[in-house]
Amino acid sequence: MRMKYTTALYMVTLISAALFNGMMLSEVLAEAPKDELIAFSTNPVQESGIWLMDPDGKNQRALLVIEGKPVPLGLVWSLDGTRIAFHTEINENIDVYVVDANGQNLLQLTNHEAEDSWPTWHPGGQKLAFCTNRDGNYEIYAVTLAGQGLVNLTNDPVRDREPAWSPDGRKIAFASKRGKSLGDIWVMDNHGGNLQNLTNVRGQDLQPRWSTDGEKVGWTSRRDGSEEIWAMDADGANELKVSSKQDPNPGGSFDCSEPSWKPNGKEIASTALGGGSATIRIHAANGSLQRLDLTRQGRQNRSPAWFDPDFAIVEFSVSPAEKQVLTWGWLKRMGREN
């Protein structure tokens, strides 16, 4: 009985906090997938757009078909699972778009002749960061979902790209050429300050992605001459290669990029490029080189984005000065256990 009371208390705190922050209850309880799944993009070989599949690759189905067959890339779920952000080229412009988890309400978030790409969600779901070269150099910008409050977070003469917002909203990881010509993974606070270089080795590091618990960062590295998936602690320690061209499983030699963590942190999905095709590949996050291809070779399937409702993060505040993240999954598990 005591644990049930605690669960109810947290639910009340969560809803009250959302209302305190000016969010409608309908936004907090917005529809999200009820089952674990992976979103990915397809090219005109199939219906170009965003597709969904079960974590084992089964039940593949279209979520969003885009007229003109542009390829959506950089797919990323909002942490509550209600929306997917991505970038694609429509009318000769690369812009950031957002679509509801049911494929409805496609929103063009940016509209600029420059390239706007690689969106990433603040955990509150009402703000995104993205990469743009609208000032003549690639920088990290942030903007609200309503298209307001545009701000340059990096403002540096070097190229800064591919941001990833941490699950607690306090940090943004990104790829940057500052400090060397090829590029490293860097972290800054959510206002663009307190920069820290997480990787500093020969070769290019790019496309960082946080694990759901914020304890790890996965990224794509070209330090060994090909694109592979690596993982490390959030402070840059304990680097580990997750994928390898020497993968003992059959299926040929592929470059692996665009990492996306399984929400429980045990696996990482990636795009495996090789032989004129792209497939969605799953890797063991512990570096054991175990892998599984979820989509058929011979097609162009890219940009996996993993979602699990048991790890969905909902915004979250006890007071303006003190914020914490709660997950629906944690609350649901408490309810089942009690």
Side-chain angles (χ1 to χ4, degrees), residues 233-248:
D233 295 344
D235 62 359
N238 299 316
E239 291 185 351
L240 176 68
K241 183 189 287 190
V242 173
S243 68
S244 173
K245 277 185 173 289
Q246 285 71 48
D247 192 320

Side-chain angles (χ1 to χ4, degrees), residues 17-199:
L19 293 173
F20 178 84
N21 284 328
M23 299 173 62
M24 298 299 292
L25 182 59
S26 59
E27 292 183 72
V28 179
L29 303 178
E31 188 68 24
K34 295 179 174 58
D35 299 306
E36 182 180 0
L37 49 78
I38 296 174
F40 63 101
S41 70
T42 66
N43 75 344
V45 174
Q46 299 170 290
E47 293 179 307
S48 180
I50 298 175
W51 279 50
L52 302 175
M53 62 181 167
D54 298 341
D56 59 3
K58 298 179 181 179
N59 194 23
Q60 296 184 19
R61 67 274 192 192
L63 175 74
L64 174 69
V65 177
I66 305 176
E67 294 183 6
K69 298 183 178 180
V71 180
L73 295 171
L75 273 61
V76 58
W77 290 92
S78 60
L79 272 68
D80 64 0
T82 61
R83 299 179 178 98
I84 297 174
F86 61 96
H87 68 266
T88 194
E89 184 175 2
I90 298 178
N91 298 326
E92 299 183 354
N93 287 334
I94 299 176
D95 285 301
V96 174
Y97 293 79
V98 175
V99 66
D100 287 353
N102 61 3
Q104 303 298 310
N105 300 319
L106 180 63
L107 168 69
Q108 183 176 350
L109 183 63
T110 67
N111 186 6
H112 199 280
E113 60 184 11
E115 175 187 325
D116 297 335
S117 58
W118 293 101
T120 180
W121 292 91
H122 181 275
Q126 299 301 309
K127 183 186 294 186
L128 296 94
F130 63 98
C131 166
T132 181
N133 63 347
R134 61 182 61 196
D135 292 334
N137 175 52
Y138 284 101
E139 304 279 7
I140 308 301
Y141 276 63
V143 67
T144 69
L145 190 59
Q148 300 173 344
L150 183 69
V151 60
N152 184 342
L153 297 178
T154 49
N155 196 21
D156 191 277
V158 303
R159 177 179 292 187
D160 298 320
R161 299 197 62 179
E162 299 155 353
W165 224 311
S166 65
D168 63 6
R170 297 177 179 177
K171 296 181 180 180
I172 298 175
F174 62 102
S176 177
K177 287 194 172 184
R178 62 187 73 201
K180 72 175 185 179
S181 60
L182 293 179
D184 286 322
I185 303 302
W186 288 68
V187 169
M188 61 183 172
D189 65 29
N190 60 3
H191 299 294
N194 299 317
L195 278 77
Q196 178 187 3
N197 186 346
L198 296 187
T199 64

